[in-house]
Amino acid sequence: MATIYDVSVMAGVSLATVSRVMNNNTKVSDKTKQKVLDAMQSLGYRPNTIAQSLASNCSNSVGVLVSQLDGPFYGPMMTEIETVLRSANKHVIIAAGHSDEAQEKDSVEFLMSRGCDALILDIEAVSDEYLIELSKGSTPIVFINRYIDSIKERCVYLENEQGGFMATNHILSLGHKDIAYISGPLFKLDVRDRLKGHQRALKQYNIDFDDSLCIESDFKEAGGSEAMEHLLSLNKPITAVVCANDQMASGAISVCLEQGLRVPEDISFIGYDNIPFPQYISPKLSTVSNPIHEMGKMAARWVLQNVYNDKETVVESSFLPELFIRTSTKAID
């Protein structure tokens, strides 16, 4: 097996120069770099990254934990994280927590066991206390879509309560009073915050919150369909439905259309997240933005700034939602 010494001999350069090429050091000329790369290729040399990380105490890898790997929501976040880190010659190791406390903890332990230089966690089921204790360890950690006041400098988050308020306030401004709400899983902080915003908007218009018109679902299209079928079975007047994400809104709309209801003429809908596909269906979905891709980018930048000492990187931690009004909402005649 070829060694770094063999590469240096074939390329006619010092061991230090080979090391600089392997670490992408800009002090090496293009001509010298190409000689080293040609020698590595000719010899079939592959750097021993484990040995390198032990020697330098740096693995150049970052662990990323997400709630799930499928669906239209987390892909853009992971793409931004990977793009930012790869541009700095860092690599990501991805694990999924599936919104389950035991699986989230197991995934965190796995990522730490891989010697990651830092962790980026989109984590939902574990307690704040667990995360606070975790943040005291030697591995730097930044959290996406989670806000904990005592470690807020490690949190990249959206103002979800304001987003929930904006969605319902738009519906109320159109004259709707008989409003149903399809919620995500209420153990999640962002879900509870969106519901609080919904209730705040109702209170501002002096409309009572009707528990029977609030259905807890699962953030999936099928869950939105089931929730809408239940709401329609109540035989209560409903002129608008506020959904805690776009996927559930899409499922709920499909049920209404199948039952001969017109959207938005008979019933208006607004979602949350502003994922791509509801923008291209009919009716186009009114929604509130959740810039998860930007939060992913900022979490990666936090790692570059705080772990790899890139002091020129700018990091924003708090994001404000934005209302997008399309054709799924309509004023009461």
Side-chain angles (χ1 to χ4, degrees), residues 40 80 89 97 103 105 150 153 185 197 199-200 206 208 227 250-251 262 265 270 281 293 295 298 326 330:
M40 291 172 65
E80 288 291 346
N89 296 311
Q103 291 189 63
K105 289 181 177 179
S150 63
E153 69 281 357
Q199 293 170 324
R200 176 163 68 91
N206 297 312
D208 293 331
S250 298
R262 299 170 302 162
E265 291 80 7
I270 189 166
I281 60 176
H293 59 293
M295 288 193 277
M298 289 303 161
R326 301 189 180 110
K330 181 179 181 294

Side-chain angles (χ1 to χ4, degrees), residues 68 70-76 221 247 275-277 292:
Q68 60 190 57
D70 61 343
F73 187 70
Y74 291 100
E221 288 91 344
Q247 289 172 262
I275 60 176
F277 74 81
I292 191 67

Side-chain angles (χ1 to χ4, degrees), residues 11-139:
V13 299
S14 68
L15 289 172
T17 299
V18 176
S19 179
R20 281 193 285 270
V21 171
M22 288 165 52
N23 291 310
N24 205 30
N25 192 307
T26 57
K27 292 181 179 179
V28 181
S29 70
D30 290 342
K31 182 179 179 180
T32 300
K33 180 179 179 180
Q34 193 59 52
K35 286 169 61 178
V36 172
L37 293 175
D38 289 343
M40 291 172 65
Q41 183 176 8
S42 178
L43 293 167
Y45 175 75
R46 295 288 183 274
N48 187 330
T49 55
I50 294 176
Q52 284 179 319
S53 66
L54 289 172
S56 65
N57 199 30
C58 178
S59 68
N60 287 317
S61 63
V62 177
V64 180
L65 176 60
V66 294
S67 294
Q68 60 190 57
L69 299 173
D70 61 343
F73 187 70
Y74 291 100
M77 180 185 80
M78 289 187 284
T79 297
E80 288 291 346
I81 291 172
E82 199 274 341
T83 299
V84 170
L85 292 175
R86 181 173 285 273
S87 70
N89 296 311
K90 315 301 177 186
H91 296 273
V92 299
I93 301 174
I94 296 173
H98 303 289
S99 301
D100 175 83
E101 182 178 3
Q103 291 189 63
E104 287 183 345
K105 289 181 177 179
D106 181 67
S107 293
V108 168
E109 292 299 323
F110 164 76
L111 292 172
M112 286 188 165
S113 75
R114 306 308 296 175
C116 295
D117 297 329
L119 300 184
I120 297 173
L121 303 182
D122 173 70
I123 196 163
E124 299 176 320
V126 299
S127 66
D128 286 357
E129 290 71 26
Y130 170 82
L131 296 178
I132 292 168
E133 196 62 31
L134 199 64
S135 68
K136 295 177 183 177
S138 59
T139 303

Side-chain angles (χ1 to χ4, degrees), residues 236-286:
K236 286 190 171 185
I238 299 173
T239 64
V241 181
V242 179
C243 299
N245 84 338
D246 293 344
Q247 289 172 262
M248 293 190 301
S250 298
I253 288 173
S254 69
V255 167
C256 290
L257 296 177
E258 288 167 4
Q259 297 197 19
L261 292 170
R262 299 170 302 162
V263 179
E265 291 80 7
D266 297 324
I267 187 165
S268 287
F269 280 88
I270 189 166
Y272 200 111
D273 283 342
N274 195 35
I275 60 176
F277 74 81
Q279 302 175 33
Y280 302 103
I281 60 176
S282 181
K284 299 181 187 298
L285 184 64
S286 296

Side-chain angles (χ1 to χ4, degrees), residues 178-232:
D178 299 314
I179 303 169
Y181 190 86
I182 300 179
S183 168
L186 286 168
F187 75 87
K188 299 184 179 187
L189 177 62
D190 56 347
V191 172
R192 297 196 300 274
D193 284 344
R194 292 174 197 183
L195 180 56
K196 287 178 184 176
H198 169 73
Q199 293 170 324
R200 176 163 68 91
L202 292 177
K203 186 176 182 180
Q204 186 167 293
Y205 275 76
N206 297 312
I207 295 175
D208 293 331
F209 174 69
D210 186 344
D211 282 315
S212 69
L213 293 180
C214 179
I215 310 298
E216 182 178 359
S217 190
D218 61 0
F219 273 160
K220 304 288 182 63
E221 288 91 344
S225 296
E226 292 171 6
M228 195 67 230
E229 287 172 353
H230 176 75
L231 287 169
L232 293 175

